[in-house]
Amino acid sequence: MARSAVVADGELRGEIGQGLCIFVGVGKDDGDWDVEWLAGKILGLRVFSDGDGKMNLNVSQVGGSLLIVSQFTLYGDCRKGMRPSYDAAMPTDRARGLYDAFTERCALAGLPVVSGVFQADMAVTIENDGPVTLLLDSKKAF
């Protein structure tokens, strides 16, 4: 990703240049293992181009940053009816702790990390390079 920014309540909360914009949805069955697996997977993903133009470098190797945004709507189930069901999303009081744990775990890698505001109405701007957009689900890890 070339750059990304998040605005909440009309205020710029964070912006980054090259790096990863990460939308985090927390499911009702998620826990500490999911936080660790996802953080490790994301930090190690080789999705940035090397000198030969191959996707062979991770975010740390390119000196990138992370923009982390909570996004419960990732759990929207649209299979039935015309309105998404969010039954699979974790209740906000518990989800906030896992979202914060994920953000803190990513920061331990020593990369610049900025985040949106949990449970806020946010505007996110993304300038994808490629574009490359990936979906990671810890429940489908194995």
Short mmCIF file of all heavy atoms in Angstrom, two decimals, residues 44-107:
data_model
loop_
_atom_site.label_atom_id
_atom_site.label_comp_id
_atom_site.label_asym_id
_atom_site.label_seq_id
_atom_site.Cartn_x
_atom_site.Cartn_y
_atom_site.Cartn_z
N GLY A 44 4.88 -11.01 8.92
CA GLY A 44 5.78 -11.80 8.08
C GLY A 44 5.40 -11.89 6.62
O GLY A 44 6.18 -12.39 5.80
N LEU A 45 4.21 -11.42 6.27
CA LEU A 45 3.76 -11.54 4.88
C LEU A 45 4.71 -10.85 3.91
O LEU A 45 5.04 -9.67 4.08
CB LEU A 45 2.37 -10.91 4.70
CG LEU A 45 1.18 -11.75 5.12
CD1 LEU A 45 -0.10 -10.92 4.96
CD2 LEU A 45 1.08 -13.03 4.33
N ARG A 46 5.11 -11.58 2.90
CA ARG A 46 6.01 -11.02 1.88
C ARG A 46 5.16 -10.50 0.72
O ARG A 46 4.92 -11.19 -0.26
CB ARG A 46 7.00 -12.09 1.43
CG ARG A 46 7.84 -12.57 2.59
CD ARG A 46 8.88 -13.59 2.24
NE ARG A 46 8.51 -14.43 1.11
CZ ARG A 46 9.28 -15.38 0.61
NH1 ARG A 46 10.47 -15.60 1.12
NH2 ARG A 46 8.88 -16.11 -0.41
N VAL A 47 4.71 -9.26 0.87
CA VAL A 47 3.80 -8.66 -0.10
C VAL A 47 4.35 -7.39 -0.74
O VAL A 47 3.64 -6.72 -1.49
CB VAL A 47 2.41 -8.38 0.55
CG1 VAL A 47 1.73 -9.67 0.92
CG2 VAL A 47 2.55 -7.47 1.76
N PHE A 48 5.60 -7.07 -0.44
CA PHE A 48 6.23 -5.89 -1.03
C PHE A 48 7.30 -6.34 -2.02
O PHE A 48 7.98 -7.34 -1.81
CB PHE A 48 6.85 -5.01 0.06
CG PHE A 48 5.83 -4.41 0.97
CD1 PHE A 48 5.46 -5.05 2.15
CD2 PHE A 48 5.21 -3.21 0.64
CE1 PHE A 48 4.50 -4.51 2.98
CE2 PHE A 48 4.25 -2.66 1.48
CZ PHE A 48 3.89 -3.31 2.65
N SER A 49 7.46 -5.57 -3.07
CA SER A 49 8.38 -5.93 -4.14
C SER A 49 9.84 -5.76 -3.75
O SER A 49 10.22 -4.79 -3.09
CB SER A 49 8.11 -5.08 -5.38
OG SER A 49 6.81 -5.32 -5.87
N ASP A 50 10.63 -6.73 -4.21
CA ASP A 50 12.09 -6.64 -4.04
C ASP A 50 12.68 -5.94 -5.27
O ASP A 50 11.93 -5.42 -6.11
CB ASP A 50 12.71 -8.02 -3.80
CG ASP A 50 12.52 -8.97 -4.98
OD1 ASP A 50 12.16 -8.53 -6.11
OD2 ASP A 50 12.75 -10.19 -4.78
N GLY A 51 13.99 -5.94 -5.41
CA GLY A 51 14.66 -5.29 -6.53
C GLY A 51 14.31 -5.86 -7.89
O GLY A 51 14.45 -5.19 -8.91
N ASP A 52 13.82 -7.09 -7.90
CA ASP A 52 13.43 -7.75 -9.16
C ASP A 52 11.94 -7.62 -9.44
O ASP A 52 11.43 -8.22 -10.39
CB ASP A 52 13.82 -9.23 -9.12
CG ASP A 52 15.32 -9.43 -9.06
OD1 ASP A 52 16.06 -8.62 -9.66
OD2 ASP A 52 15.75 -10.41 -8.40
N GLY A 53 11.23 -6.87 -8.60
CA GLY A 53 9.80 -6.69 -8.82
C GLY A 53 8.94 -7.84 -8.30
O GLY A 53 7.74 -7.87 -8.57
N LYS A 54 9.54 -8.77 -7.56
CA LYS A 54 8.78 -9.88 -7.00
C LYS A 54 8.29 -9.53 -5.60
O LYS A 54 9.01 -8.88 -4.83
CB LYS A 54 9.65 -11.14 -6.89
CG LYS A 54 9.92 -11.82 -8.19
CD LYS A 54 10.63 -13.13 -7.93
CE LYS A 54 10.65 -13.98 -9.17
NZ LYS A 54 11.24 -15.29 -8.89
N MET A 55 7.09 -9.98 -5.27
CA MET A 55 6.58 -9.79 -3.91
C MET A 55 7.36 -10.73 -3.01
O MET A 55 7.04 -11.91 -2.90
CB MET A 55 5.08 -10.09 -3.86
CG MET A 55 4.25 -9.07 -4.60
SD MET A 55 2.50 -9.50 -4.70
CE MET A 55 1.99 -9.27 -3.04
N ASN A 56 8.39 -10.18 -2.37
CA ASN A 56 9.33 -11.02 -1.63
C ASN A 56 9.76 -10.41 -0.30
O ASN A 56 10.56 -11.00 0.40
CB ASN A 56 10.55 -11.29 -2.52
CG ASN A 56 11.28 -12.53 -2.14
OD1 ASN A 56 10.70 -13.47 -1.59
ND2 ASN A 56 12.56 -12.57 -2.42
N LEU A 57 9.26 -9.21 0.03
CA LEU A 57 9.69 -8.52 1.25
C LEU A 57 8.50 -8.27 2.17
O LEU A 57 7.38 -8.04 1.71
CB LEU A 57 10.35 -7.18 0.89
CG LEU A 57 11.56 -7.24 -0.04
CD1 LEU A 57 11.99 -5.84 -0.43
CD2 LEU A 57 12.70 -8.02 0.59
N ASN A 58 8.76 -8.30 3.48
CA ASN A 58 7.69 -8.00 4.43
C ASN A 58 7.72 -6.52 4.80
O ASN A 58 8.62 -5.78 4.39
CB ASN A 58 7.76 -8.91 5.66
CG ASN A 58 9.00 -8.70 6.49
OD1 ASN A 58 9.48 -7.60 6.67
ND2 ASN A 58 9.54 -9.79 7.03
N VAL A 59 6.76 -6.10 5.59
CA VAL A 59 6.60 -4.68 5.92
C VAL A 59 7.82 -4.13 6.66
O VAL A 59 8.23 -2.98 6.44
CB VAL A 59 5.29 -4.43 6.71
CG1 VAL A 59 5.30 -5.11 8.07
CG2 VAL A 59 4.97 -2.96 6.81
N SER A 60 8.43 -4.92 7.49
CA SER A 60 9.62 -4.47 8.22
C SER A 60 10.81 -4.27 7.27
O SER A 60 11.55 -3.30 7.40
CB SER A 60 9.98 -5.50 9.30
OG SER A 60 11.10 -5.08 10.02
N GLN A 61 10.95 -5.17 6.31
CA GLN A 61 12.08 -5.10 5.38
C GLN A 61 12.02 -3.88 4.47
O GLN A 61 13.05 -3.46 3.94
CB GLN A 61 12.14 -6.38 4.54
CG GLN A 61 12.53 -7.60 5.36
CD GLN A 61 12.36 -8.88 4.59
OE1 GLN A 61 11.35 -9.11 3.90
NE2 GLN A 61 13.36 -9.76 4.69
N VAL A 62 10.84 -3.30 4.28
CA VAL A 62 10.74 -2.10 3.44
C VAL A 62 10.62 -0.84 4.28
O VAL A 62 10.40 0.25 3.75
CB VAL A 62 9.55 -2.20 2.45
CG1 VAL A 62 9.75 -3.35 1.48
CG2 VAL A 62 8.22 -2.29 3.16
N GLY A 63 10.76 -0.97 5.60
CA GLY A 63 10.66 0.19 6.48
C GLY A 63 9.26 0.76 6.52
O GLY A 63 9.08 1.97 6.68
N GLY A 64 8.26 -0.12 6.40
CA GLY A 64 6.87 0.33 6.36
C GLY A 64 6.25 0.56 7.72
O GLY A 64 6.86 0.33 8.77
N SER A 65 5.02 1.01 7.68
CA SER A 65 4.22 1.31 8.88
C SER A 65 2.93 0.52 8.83
O SER A 65 2.57 -0.06 7.79
CB SER A 65 3.89 2.80 8.93
OG SER A 65 5.06 3.58 8.90
N LEU A 66 2.19 0.55 9.94
CA LEU A 66 0.91 -0.13 10.02
C LEU A 66 -0.18 0.86 10.43
O LEU A 66 0.01 1.63 11.37
CB LEU A 66 0.94 -1.25 11.06
CG LEU A 66 2.01 -2.33 10.90
CD1 LEU A 66 1.94 -3.30 12.08
CD2 LEU A 66 1.85 -3.07 9.59
N LEU A 67 -1.29 0.84 9.71
CA LEU A 67 -2.49 1.56 10.10
C LEU A 67 -3.53 0.49 10.43
O LEU A 67 -3.90 -0.30 9.56
CB LEU A 67 -3.00 2.47 8.99
CG LEU A 67 -4.34 3.16 9.25
CD1 LEU A 67 -4.24 4.08 10.46
CD2 LEU A 67 -4.80 3.93 8.04
N ILE A 68 -3.97 0.44 11.68
CA ILE A 68 -4.88 -0.60 12.14
C ILE A 68 -6.23 0.02 12.47
O ILE A 68 -6.32 0.97 13.25
CB ILE A 68 -4.30 -1.33 13.38
CG1 ILE A 68 -2.92 -1.91 13.03
CG2 ILE A 68 -5.25 -2.42 13.84
CD1 ILE A 68 -2.18 -2.51 14.21
N VAL A 69 -7.29 -0.53 11.85
CA VAL A 69 -8.64 0.02 11.98
C VAL A 69 -9.60 -1.09 12.41
O VAL A 69 -9.66 -2.13 11.75
CB VAL A 69 -9.11 0.64 10.64
CG1 VAL A 69 -10.51 1.18 10.76
CG2 VAL A 69 -8.14 1.72 10.17
N SER A 70 -10.36 -0.87 13.47
CA SER A 70 -11.36 -1.85 13.89
C SER A 70 -12.51 -1.83 12.87
O SER A 70 -12.92 -0.77 12.41
CB SER A 70 -11.88 -1.53 15.29
OG SER A 70 -12.52 -0.29 15.32
N GLN A 71 -13.00 -3.03 12.54
CA GLN A 71 -14.01 -3.13 11.48
C GLN A 71 -14.92 -4.33 11.74
O GLN A 71 -14.77 -5.38 11.14
CB GLN A 71 -13.29 -3.28 10.13
CG GLN A 71 -14.18 -3.17 8.93
CD GLN A 71 -14.70 -1.78 8.71
OE1 GLN A 71 -14.03 -0.80 9.00
NE2 GLN A 71 -15.90 -1.67 8.20
N PHE A 72 -15.88 -4.16 12.65
CA PHE A 72 -16.76 -5.28 12.99
C PHE A 72 -17.60 -5.73 11.80
O PHE A 72 -18.04 -6.88 11.73
CB PHE A 72 -17.67 -4.94 14.19
CG PHE A 72 -18.92 -4.20 13.82
CD1 PHE A 72 -20.11 -4.89 13.66
CD2 PHE A 72 -18.91 -2.83 13.64
CE1 PHE A 72 -21.28 -4.22 13.32
CE2 PHE A 72 -20.06 -2.15 13.30
CZ PHE A 72 -21.26 -2.85 13.13
N THR A 73 -17.81 -4.86 10.82
CA THR A 73 -18.63 -5.24 9.67
C THR A 73 -18.00 -6.34 8.82
O THR A 73 -18.66 -6.91 7.95
CB THR A 73 -18.96 -4.02 8.78
OG1 THR A 73 -17.75 -3.44 8.31
CG2 THR A 73 -19.78 -2.99 9.56
N LEU A 74 -16.73 -6.67 9.07
CA LEU A 74 -16.14 -7.82 8.39
C LEU A 74 -16.89 -9.10 8.74
O LEU A 74 -16.83 -10.08 8.00
CB LEU A 74 -14.66 -7.96 8.77
CG LEU A 74 -13.73 -6.89 8.21
CD1 LEU A 74 -12.34 -7.01 8.84
CD2 LEU A 74 -13.64 -7.00 6.70
N TYR A 75 -17.59 -9.09 9.86
CA TYR A 75 -18.38 -10.24 10.27
C TYR A 75 -19.82 -10.18 9.79
O TYR A 75 -20.65 -10.98 10.21
CB TYR A 75 -18.31 -10.42 11.79
CG TYR A 75 -17.09 -11.20 12.18
CD1 TYR A 75 -15.91 -10.56 12.49
CD2 TYR A 75 -17.11 -12.59 12.17
CE1 TYR A 75 -14.77 -11.27 12.81
CE2 TYR A 75 -15.98 -13.31 12.49
CZ TYR A 75 -14.82 -12.65 12.81
OH TYR A 75 -13.69 -13.37 13.11
N GLY A 76 -20.13 -9.25 8.90
CA GLY A 76 -21.48 -9.16 8.36
C GLY A 76 -21.79 -10.37 7.49
O GLY A 76 -21.10 -10.64 6.52
N ASP A 77 -22.82 -11.10 7.86
CA ASP A 77 -23.25 -12.29 7.13
C ASP A 77 -24.45 -11.90 6.27
O ASP A 77 -25.53 -11.58 6.79
CB ASP A 77 -23.62 -13.40 8.11
CG ASP A 77 -23.99 -14.71 7.43
OD1 ASP A 77 -24.21 -14.72 6.20
OD2 ASP A 77 -24.08 -15.73 8.15
N CYS A 78 -24.26 -11.92 4.95
CA CYS A 78 -25.30 -11.47 4.02
C CYS A 78 -25.99 -12.62 3.30
O CYS A 78 -26.67 -12.42 2.30
CB CYS A 78 -24.68 -10.53 2.98
SG CYS A 78 -23.96 -9.05 3.71
N ARG A 79 -25.83 -13.82 3.82
CA ARG A 79 -26.42 -14.98 3.13
C ARG A 79 -27.93 -14.99 3.17
O ARG A 79 -28.57 -15.48 2.24
CB ARG A 79 -25.87 -16.28 3.72
CG ARG A 79 -24.39 -16.48 3.40
CD ARG A 79 -23.86 -17.73 4.03
NE ARG A 79 -23.85 -17.55 5.49
CZ ARG A 79 -23.53 -18.50 6.35
NH1 ARG A 79 -23.24 -19.71 5.94
NH2 ARG A 79 -23.53 -18.26 7.65
N LYS A 80 -28.53 -14.48 4.23
CA LYS A 80 -29.99 -14.49 4.35
C LYS A 80 -30.51 -13.06 4.41
O LYS A 80 -29.91 -12.21 5.05
CB LYS A 80 -30.41 -15.24 5.62
CG LYS A 80 -30.03 -16.70 5.62
CD LYS A 80 -30.46 -17.36 6.90
CE LYS A 80 -30.02 -18.80 6.92
NZ LYS A 80 -30.34 -19.45 8.20
N GLY A 81 -31.63 -12.84 3.77
CA GLY A 81 -32.26 -11.53 3.83
C GLY A 81 -31.46 -10.44 3.14
O GLY A 81 -30.52 -10.70 2.39
N MET A 82 -31.83 -9.21 3.42
CA MET A 82 -31.21 -8.05 2.77
C MET A 82 -30.43 -7.18 3.74
O MET A 82 -29.89 -6.16 3.35
CB MET A 82 -32.28 -7.22 2.05
CG MET A 82 -33.03 -7.99 0.98
SD MET A 82 -31.96 -8.75 -0.26
CE MET A 82 -31.47 -7.33 -1.17
N ARG A 83 -30.42 -7.56 5.02
CA ARG A 83 -29.67 -6.81 6.01
C ARG A 83 -28.64 -7.74 6.64
O ARG A 83 -28.97 -8.85 7.06
CB ARG A 83 -30.60 -6.26 7.08
CG ARG A 83 -29.89 -5.29 8.02
CD ARG A 83 -30.83 -4.63 8.96
NE ARG A 83 -31.18 -5.57 10.02
CZ ARG A 83 -32.06 -5.33 10.95
NH1 ARG A 83 -32.74 -4.20 10.96
NH2 ARG A 83 -32.31 -6.21 11.88
N PRO A 84 -27.38 -7.33 6.68
CA PRO A 84 -26.35 -8.20 7.25
C PRO A 84 -26.63 -8.52 8.73
O PRO A 84 -27.13 -7.69 9.47
CB PRO A 84 -25.06 -7.37 7.14
CG PRO A 84 -25.36 -6.32 6.14
CD PRO A 84 -26.82 -6.06 6.23
N SER A 85 -26.28 -9.74 9.10
CA SER A 85 -26.34 -10.16 10.50
C SER A 85 -24.93 -10.09 11.06
O SER A 85 -23.97 -10.52 10.42
CB SER A 85 -26.85 -11.60 10.59
OG SER A 85 -26.65 -12.11 11.89
N TYR A 86 -24.81 -9.57 12.26
CA TYR A 86 -23.50 -9.47 12.91
C TYR A 86 -23.41 -10.38 14.12
O TYR A 86 -22.64 -10.14 15.04
CB TYR A 86 -23.23 -8.00 13.29
CG TYR A 86 -23.16 -7.12 12.07
CD1 TYR A 86 -24.22 -6.29 11.75
CD2 TYR A 86 -22.07 -7.16 11.23
CE1 TYR A 86 -24.19 -5.50 10.61
CE2 TYR A 86 -22.02 -6.37 10.09
CZ TYR A 86 -23.09 -5.55 9.79
OH TYR A 86 -23.04 -4.78 8.66
N ASP A 87 -24.18 -11.46 14.11
CA ASP A 87 -24.20 -12.40 15.23
C ASP A 87 -22.84 -13.02 15.51
O ASP A 87 -22.54 -13.39 16.65
CB ASP A 87 -25.21 -13.52 14.98
CG ASP A 87 -26.65 -13.03 15.05
OD1 ASP A 87 -26.88 -11.93 15.58
OD2 ASP A 87 -27.55 -13.76 14.57
N ALA A 88 -21.99 -13.15 14.50
CA ALA A 88 -20.68 -13.79 14.69
C ALA A 88 -19.63 -12.83 15.24
O ALA A 88 -18.55 -13.27 15.63
CB ALA A 88 -20.19 -14.39 13.36
N ALA A 89 -19.94 -11.54 15.28
CA ALA A 89 -19.00 -10.56 15.82
C ALA A 89 -19.02 -10.61 17.35
O ALA A 89 -20.05 -10.83 17.97
CB ALA A 89 -19.35 -9.16 15.34
N MET A 90 -17.86 -10.40 17.95
CA MET A 90 -17.75 -10.38 19.41
C MET A 90 -18.39 -9.10 19.94
O MET A 90 -18.22 -8.03 19.34
CB MET A 90 -16.29 -10.45 19.83
CG MET A 90 -16.07 -10.50 21.33
SD MET A 90 -14.33 -10.66 21.77
CE MET A 90 -14.06 -12.40 21.46
N PRO A 91 -19.09 -9.16 21.06
CA PRO A 91 -19.63 -7.94 21.67
C PRO A 91 -18.51 -6.92 21.93
O PRO A 91 -17.39 -7.29 22.26
CB PRO A 91 -20.24 -8.43 22.98
CG PRO A 91 -20.55 -9.88 22.74
CD PRO A 91 -19.47 -10.36 21.82
N THR A 92 -18.85 -5.66 21.78
CA THR A 92 -17.83 -4.61 21.81
C THR A 92 -17.03 -4.55 23.10
O THR A 92 -15.84 -4.26 23.07
CB THR A 92 -18.45 -3.22 21.56
OG1 THR A 92 -19.48 -2.99 22.52
CG2 THR A 92 -19.03 -3.13 20.17
N ASP A 93 -17.64 -4.83 24.24
CA ASP A 93 -16.91 -4.74 25.50
C ASP A 93 -15.75 -5.73 25.55
O ASP A 93 -14.69 -5.43 26.10
CB ASP A 93 -17.83 -4.91 26.70
CG ASP A 93 -18.59 -6.23 26.69
OD1 ASP A 93 -18.87 -6.76 25.60
OD2 ASP A 93 -18.92 -6.73 27.79
N ARG A 94 -15.92 -6.91 24.95
CA ARG A 94 -14.84 -7.90 24.91
C ARG A 94 -13.93 -7.70 23.70
O ARG A 94 -12.73 -7.93 23.76
CB ARG A 94 -15.43 -9.30 24.91
CG ARG A 94 -16.10 -9.63 26.23
CD ARG A 94 -16.77 -11.00 26.26
NE ARG A 94 -16.14 -12.02 25.46
CZ ARG A 94 -16.81 -12.85 24.66
NH1 ARG A 94 -18.12 -12.78 24.56
NH2 ARG A 94 -16.18 -13.77 23.97
N ALA A 95 -14.51 -7.27 22.58
CA ALA A 95 -13.73 -7.10 21.34
C ALA A 95 -12.67 -6.01 21.48
O ALA A 95 -11.58 -6.12 20.93
CB ALA A 95 -14.66 -6.78 20.18
N ARG A 96 -12.98 -4.97 22.23
CA ARG A 96 -12.03 -3.87 22.40
C ARG A 96 -10.71 -4.38 22.98
O ARG A 96 -9.63 -3.99 22.55
CB ARG A 96 -12.60 -2.80 23.32
CG ARG A 96 -11.67 -1.62 23.55
CD ARG A 96 -12.23 -0.62 24.56
NE ARG A 96 -13.59 -0.23 24.28
CZ ARG A 96 -13.95 0.80 23.50
NH1 ARG A 96 -13.01 1.54 22.94
NH2 ARG A 96 -15.20 1.09 23.32
N GLY A 97 -10.76 -5.27 23.94
CA GLY A 97 -9.55 -5.82 24.55
C GLY A 97 -8.69 -6.58 23.56
O GLY A 97 -7.46 -6.44 23.54
N LEU A 98 -9.32 -7.38 22.70
CA LEU A 98 -8.55 -8.14 21.71
C LEU A 98 -8.01 -7.22 20.62
O LEU A 98 -6.89 -7.41 20.14
CB LEU A 98 -9.39 -9.26 21.10
CG LEU A 98 -9.63 -10.44 22.04
CD1 LEU A 98 -10.51 -11.48 21.36
CD2 LEU A 98 -8.32 -11.08 22.48
N TYR A 99 -8.79 -6.22 20.23
CA TYR A 99 -8.30 -5.24 19.25
C TYR A 99 -7.08 -4.51 19.81
O TYR A 99 -6.06 -4.37 19.13
CB TYR A 99 -9.41 -4.25 18.90
CG TYR A 99 -8.93 -3.09 18.06
CD1 TYR A 99 -8.72 -3.24 16.70
CD2 TYR A 99 -8.68 -1.85 18.64
CE1 TYR A 99 -8.28 -2.18 15.93
CE2 TYR A 99 -8.23 -0.79 17.88
CZ TYR A 99 -8.03 -0.96 16.52
OH TYR A 99 -7.58 0.09 15.77
N ASP A 100 -7.16 -4.07 21.05
CA ASP A 100 -6.02 -3.39 21.69
C ASP A 100 -4.82 -4.32 21.80
O ASP A 100 -3.68 -3.91 21.57
CB ASP A 100 -6.41 -2.86 23.07
CG ASP A 100 -7.37 -1.69 23.01
OD1 ASP A 100 -7.50 -1.05 21.94
OD2 ASP A 100 -8.00 -1.40 24.05
N ALA A 101 -5.07 -5.58 22.15
CA ALA A 101 -3.98 -6.56 22.25
C ALA A 101 -3.30 -6.77 20.90
O ALA A 101 -2.07 -6.87 20.82
CB ALA A 101 -4.50 -7.89 22.80
N PHE A 102 -4.09 -6.81 19.83
CA PHE A 102 -3.53 -6.97 18.49
C PHE A 102 -2.66 -5.77 18.13
O PHE A 102 -1.54 -5.92 17.64
CB PHE A 102 -4.65 -7.16 17.46
CG PHE A 102 -4.15 -7.20 16.05
CD1 PHE A 102 -3.59 -8.36 15.54
CD2 PHE A 102 -4.23 -6.09 15.24
CE1 PHE A 102 -3.12 -8.41 14.24
CE2 PHE A 102 -3.76 -6.13 13.95
CZ PHE A 102 -3.20 -7.29 13.45
N THR A 103 -3.18 -4.58 18.39
CA THR A 103 -2.42 -3.36 18.09
C THR A 103 -1.11 -3.32 18.88
O THR A 103 -0.05 -3.01 18.32
CB THR A 103 -3.28 -2.12 18.40
OG1 THR A 103 -4.48 -2.19 17.61
CG2 THR A 103 -2.55 -0.83 18.06
N GLU A 104 -1.18 -3.66 20.16
CA GLU A 104 0.03 -3.68 20.99
C GLU A 104 1.02 -4.75 20.52
O GLU A 104 2.23 -4.51 20.50
CB GLU A 104 -0.36 -3.93 22.45
CG GLU A 104 -1.08 -2.77 23.08
CD GLU A 104 -1.74 -3.12 24.41
OE1 GLU A 104 -1.43 -4.19 24.97
OE2 GLU A 104 -2.57 -2.32 24.88
N ARG A 105 0.51 -5.90 20.13
CA ARG A 105 1.38 -6.98 19.64
C ARG A 105 2.11 -6.55 18.37
O ARG A 105 3.30 -6.81 18.21
CB ARG A 105 0.55 -8.24 19.40
CG ARG A 105 1.26 -9.37 18.68
CD ARG A 105 2.48 -9.88 19.43
NE ARG A 105 3.09 -10.98 18.75
CZ ARG A 105 3.96 -10.88 17.74
NH1 ARG A 105 4.30 -9.69 17.27
NH2 ARG A 105 4.48 -11.94 17.19
N CYS A 106 1.42 -5.87 17.48
CA CYS A 106 2.06 -5.37 16.25
C CYS A 106 3.12 -4.33 16.57
O CYS A 106 4.17 -4.30 15.95
CB CYS A 106 1.01 -4.81 15.29
SG CYS A 106 -0.02 -6.07 14.52
N ALA A 107 2.85 -3.48 17.54
CA ALA A 107 3.81 -2.43 17.92
C ALA A 107 5.10 -3.02 18.47
O ALA A 107 6.16 -2.41 18.36
CB ALA A 107 3.17 -1.49 18.93
#
